Amino acid sequence: MPSGKILVAQGGGPTAVINQSLVGVALEARRFGNIERIYGARHGVRGIVNEDFVDLTQETHHNLEMVANTPSSALGSTRDKPDLPYCQEIFKVLQAHEIEHFFYIGGNDSSDTVRIVSQEAAKAGYPLRCIHIPKTIDNDLVGNDHTPGFPSAARFVAQAFAGANLDNAALPGVYVGVVMGRHAGFLTAASALGKKFPDDGPHLIYLPERTFVLEQFLADVKAIYERYGRCVIAVSEGIHDASGTPMAALLAKDLEHDDHGNVQLSGNGALADLLCQEIKSKLNIKRVRGDTFGYLQRSFIGCVSDVDQREAREVGEKAVQFALWGATSGSVAIKRTGFYSVDYELLPLEAVAGKTRVMEDEFISSSGTDVTDAFRMYLRPLLGSGMPDAFRLRHNPVEKVLRPGTAR
């Protein structure tokens, strides 16, 4: 007999809208009479193997809605990257608790976890429906037009660079902002949506989809600085040389590594500091400043795209519908229709798991240091309503009295 139990968990980096997907699952599941219990695993797959569950069935509708509008992962998350033995332990726990629907909200690694667990259930002949719900600010899930979490993070990046540009225009110099994105440059490219006037920054955008050459970078900065008297630069944390080695690793003598052996690119200001030092020493520009956006862009409260909120809720709702009305496991995907509307599909887990999407060539300018209008058209509707705007004074000059005829 069906158990009527489902389990939902959140994995990977938090986002501003991941709780919308969680609540979408919880509230949509309540509409089905055969669902008796809705469990949440605390801290992702680690919580599953530790049997650290909470009963979301007992949550009030009102509190769930309040949580939905709160950034970050309400259940807690994990950076664990399960291998086969780990996934076998996950399956044992799901089977022991008679859970027949497993929903995992996350990115690339999470989709691979869902795939392996689904395969283990199939081998055992256990009736487990496994659904991956997309989430990542990197926007690097294949098969998706875009991924929940990315639009809100992109909105933050666009607004942050719009503000940095205003600051830089008031006190001219060189500004370097380092944005998350190890392999995909979507989030860094979003900085271009902060521009309004032709001379606004970012004047240069560097993405991991293109090889980074330090000498060319310095030449680019020099040219922009000579043209405008200032330069605003957006840099992806994942920029690398021709061999694929991250520039942060090449420029720094000692960098931390994460649990998967990768150079720790986020959470430190190394790359920004190193690039600023190169500009100061090689170009002899005195006013050079750098920032690393780091974790700020992931769950910044009050800077959320309403489009992102809506779609994050809907992927959670559709996951439940696919699981309870469908016959297969899979990964929910967002498909764009019309100028801007979306539909949802259930893709095979093998089509998404362990794969990484990068920015399409049509989105990157021929110079490699800017984006195209195609990218601007792609991103603008995702940023949502109420984007702030910036204005300038009209500089109507007054005639000089003491120094007539001198240049202004």
Side-chain angles (χ1 to χ4, degrees), residues 51-68:
E51 297 182 80
D52 189 2
F53 296 165
V54 294
D55 188 352
L56 298 176
T57 325
Q58 299 183 48
E59 277 286 357
T60 65
H61 187 286
H62 174 76
N63 195 50
L64 285 173
E65 288 291 358
M66 294 299 100
V67 168

mmCIF file of all heavy atoms in Angstrom, residues 51-68:
data_model
loop_
_atom_site.group_PDB
_atom_site.id
_atom_site.type_symbol
_atom_site.label_atom_id
_atom_site.label_comp_id
_atom_site.label_asym_id
_atom_site.label_seq_id
_atom_site.Cartn_x
_atom_site.Cartn_y
_atom_site.Cartn_z
ATOM 1 N N GLU A 51 19.013 10.896 9.417
ATOM 2 C CA GLU A 51 17.585 10.824 9.769
ATOM 3 C C GLU A 51 17.158 12.059 10.567
ATOM 4 O O GLU A 51 16.362 11.967 11.515
ATOM 5 C CB GLU A 51 17.271 9.548 10.551
ATOM 6 C CG GLU A 51 17.520 8.268 9.779
ATOM 7 C CD GLU A 51 17.143 7.029 10.570
ATOM 8 O OE1 GLU A 51 15.941 6.702 10.619
ATOM 9 O OE2 GLU A 51 18.066 6.404 11.133
ATOM 10 N N ASP A 52 17.657 13.188 10.157
ATOM 11 C CA ASP A 52 17.347 14.453 10.833
ATOM 12 C C ASP A 52 16.221 15.133 10.061
ATOM 13 O O ASP A 52 16.448 16.004 9.220
ATOM 14 C CB ASP A 52 18.600 15.325 10.872
ATOM 15 C CG ASP A 52 18.439 16.556 11.742
ATOM 16 O OD1 ASP A 52 17.360 16.711 12.358
ATOM 17 O OD2 ASP A 52 19.386 17.358 11.812
ATOM 18 N N PHE A 53 14.986 14.723 10.363
ATOM 19 C CA PHE A 53 13.809 15.189 9.632
ATOM 20 C C PHE A 53 12.944 16.099 10.501
ATOM 21 O O PHE A 53 12.939 15.984 11.725
ATOM 22 C CB PHE A 53 12.935 14.010 9.174
ATOM 23 C CG PHE A 53 13.609 13.084 8.191
ATOM 24 C CD1 PHE A 53 13.062 11.838 7.936
ATOM 25 C CD2 PHE A 53 14.774 13.436 7.535
ATOM 26 C CE1 PHE A 53 13.660 10.963 7.030
ATOM 27 C CE2 PHE A 53 15.384 12.581 6.629
ATOM 28 C CZ PHE A 53 14.823 11.340 6.386
ATOM 29 N N VAL A 54 12.221 16.995 9.850
ATOM 30 C CA VAL A 54 11.164 17.767 10.508
ATOM 31 C C VAL A 54 9.864 17.511 9.752
ATOM 32 O O VAL A 54 9.877 17.221 8.552
ATOM 33 C CB VAL A 54 11.486 19.281 10.525
ATOM 34 C CG1 VAL A 54 12.697 19.552 11.387
ATOM 35 C CG2 VAL A 54 11.706 19.813 9.114
ATOM 36 N N ASP A 55 8.761 17.580 10.460
ATOM 37 C CA ASP A 55 7.456 17.313 9.863
ATOM 38 C C ASP A 55 6.836 18.624 9.388
ATOM 39 O O ASP A 55 6.303 19.399 10.179
ATOM 40 C CB ASP A 55 6.545 16.629 10.877
ATOM 41 C CG ASP A 55 5.243 16.139 10.254
ATOM 42 O OD1 ASP A 55 4.991 16.462 9.067
ATOM 43 O OD2 ASP A 55 4.475 15.441 10.939
ATOM 44 N N LEU A 56 6.913 18.879 8.085
ATOM 45 C CA LEU A 56 6.351 20.105 7.520
ATOM 46 C C LEU A 56 4.829 20.064 7.448
ATOM 47 O O LEU A 56 4.202 21.101 7.241
ATOM 48 C CB LEU A 56 6.932 20.344 6.120
ATOM 49 C CG LEU A 56 8.448 20.543 6.056
ATOM 50 C CD1 LEU A 56 8.897 20.680 4.609
ATOM 51 C CD2 LEU A 56 8.869 21.766 6.853
ATOM 52 N N THR A 57 4.250 18.886 7.631
ATOM 53 C CA THR A 57 2.791 18.772 7.627
ATOM 54 C C THR A 57 2.194 19.596 8.755
ATOM 55 O O THR A 57 1.058 20.066 8.664
ATOM 56 C CB THR A 57 2.369 17.299 7.799
ATOM 57 O OG1 THR A 57 3.301 16.452 7.131
ATOM 58 C CG2 THR A 57 0.970 17.058 7.224
ATOM 59 N N GLN A 58 2.951 19.785 9.816
ATOM 60 C CA GLN A 58 2.449 20.499 10.989
ATOM 61 C C GLN A 58 2.655 22.010 10.896
ATOM 62 O O GLN A 58 2.213 22.747 11.786
ATOM 63 C CB GLN A 58 3.137 19.961 12.248
ATOM 64 C CG GLN A 58 2.885 18.475 12.497
ATOM 65 C CD GLN A 58 3.512 18.007 13.790
ATOM 66 O OE1 GLN A 58 3.362 18.646 14.833
ATOM 67 N NE2 GLN A 58 4.206 16.878 13.744
ATOM 68 N N GLU A 59 3.318 22.478 9.849
ATOM 69 C CA GLU A 59 3.501 23.919 9.681
ATOM 70 C C GLU A 59 2.197 24.588 9.241
ATOM 71 O O GLU A 59 1.439 24.018 8.445
ATOM 72 C CB GLU A 59 4.575 24.203 8.634
ATOM 73 C CG GLU A 59 6.001 24.154 9.168
ATOM 74 C CD GLU A 59 6.341 25.371 10.024
ATOM 75 O OE1 GLU A 59 5.493 26.280 10.158
ATOM 76 O OE2 GLU A 59 7.463 25.387 10.576
ATOM 77 N N THR A 60 1.957 25.788 9.757
ATOM 78 C CA THR A 60 0.774 26.521 9.320
ATOM 79 C C THR A 60 0.994 27.094 7.918
ATOM 80 O O THR A 60 2.136 27.352 7.513
ATOM 81 C CB THR A 60 0.460 27.682 10.276
ATOM 82 O OG1 THR A 60 1.528 28.630 10.225
ATOM 83 C CG2 THR A 60 0.265 27.173 11.697
ATOM 84 N N HIS A 61 -0.081 27.294 7.203
ATOM 85 C CA HIS A 61 -0.021 27.872 5.861
ATOM 86 C C HIS A 61 0.621 29.255 5.913
ATOM 87 O O HIS A 61 1.467 29.604 5.078
ATOM 88 C CB HIS A 61 -1.431 27.949 5.279
ATOM 89 C CG HIS A 61 -1.472 28.366 3.844
ATOM 90 N ND1 HIS A 61 -1.236 29.660 3.437
ATOM 91 C CD2 HIS A 61 -1.726 27.654 2.705
ATOM 92 C CE1 HIS A 61 -1.340 29.738 2.123
ATOM 93 N NE2 HIS A 61 -1.635 28.532 1.654
ATOM 94 N N HIS A 62 0.233 30.052 6.928
ATOM 95 C CA HIS A 62 0.759 31.411 7.049
ATOM 96 C C HIS A 62 2.265 31.402 7.240
ATOM 97 O O HIS A 62 2.997 32.169 6.587
ATOM 98 C CB HIS A 62 0.089 32.132 8.217
ATOM 99 C CG HIS A 62 0.679 33.490 8.500
ATOM 100 N ND1 HIS A 62 0.414 34.592 7.725
ATOM 101 C CD2 HIS A 62 1.549 33.904 9.478
ATOM 102 C CE1 HIS A 62 1.075 35.632 8.192
ATOM 103 N NE2 HIS A 62 1.766 35.246 9.258
ATOM 104 N N ASN A 63 2.759 30.554 8.146
ATOM 105 C CA ASN A 63 4.196 30.546 8.402
ATOM 106 C C ASN A 63 4.973 30.057 7.185
ATOM 107 O O ASN A 63 6.067 30.557 6.894
ATOM 108 C CB ASN A 63 4.535 29.670 9.612
ATOM 109 C CG ASN A 63 5.943 29.928 10.121
ATOM 110 O OD1 ASN A 63 6.326 31.077 10.340
ATOM 111 N ND2 ASN A 63 6.729 28.872 10.275
ATOM 112 N N LEU A 64 4.418 29.101 6.465
ATOM 113 C CA LEU A 64 5.073 28.655 5.236
ATOM 114 C C LEU A 64 5.194 29.801 4.236
ATOM 115 O O LEU A 64 6.225 29.959 3.579
ATOM 116 C CB LEU A 64 4.302 27.487 4.619
ATOM 117 C CG LEU A 64 4.471 26.126 5.313
ATOM 118 C CD1 LEU A 64 3.515 25.104 4.703
ATOM 119 C CD2 LEU A 64 5.912 25.631 5.212
ATOM 120 N N GLU A 65 4.169 30.616 4.135
ATOM 121 C CA GLU A 65 4.224 31.747 3.211
ATOM 122 C C GLU A 65 5.260 32.775 3.658
ATOM 123 O O GLU A 65 5.941 33.384 2.827
ATOM 124 C CB GLU A 65 2.848 32.405 3.094
ATOM 125 C CG GLU A 65 1.818 31.584 2.329
ATOM 126 C CD GLU A 65 2.134 31.490 0.837
ATOM 127 O OE1 GLU A 65 3.132 32.088 0.379
ATOM 128 O OE2 GLU A 65 1.396 30.807 0.126
ATOM 129 N N MET A 66 5.390 32.977 4.959
ATOM 130 C CA MET A 66 6.396 33.900 5.460
ATOM 131 C C MET A 66 7.808 33.373 5.171
ATOM 132 O O MET A 66 8.714 34.125 4.805
ATOM 133 C CB MET A 66 6.222 34.120 6.970
ATOM 134 C CG MET A 66 4.931 34.823 7.373
ATOM 135 S SD MET A 66 4.763 36.496 6.676
ATOM 136 C CE MET A 66 3.662 36.146 5.289
ATOM 137 N N VAL A 67 7.981 32.073 5.342
ATOM 138 C CA VAL A 67 9.273 31.447 5.048
ATOM 139 C C VAL A 67 9.575 31.535 3.556
ATOM 140 O O VAL A 67 10.727 31.759 3.149
ATOM 141 C CB VAL A 67 9.286 29.978 5.522
ATOM 142 C CG1 VAL A 67 10.498 29.231 4.975
ATOM 143 C CG2 VAL A 67 9.272 29.909 7.045
ATOM 144 N N ALA A 68 8.551 31.379 2.726
ATOM 145 C CA ALA A 68 8.746 31.433 1.270
ATOM 146 C C ALA A 68 9.363 32.752 0.844
ATOM 147 O O ALA A 68 10.180 32.794 -0.085
ATOM 148 C CB ALA A 68 7.408 31.222 0.551
#
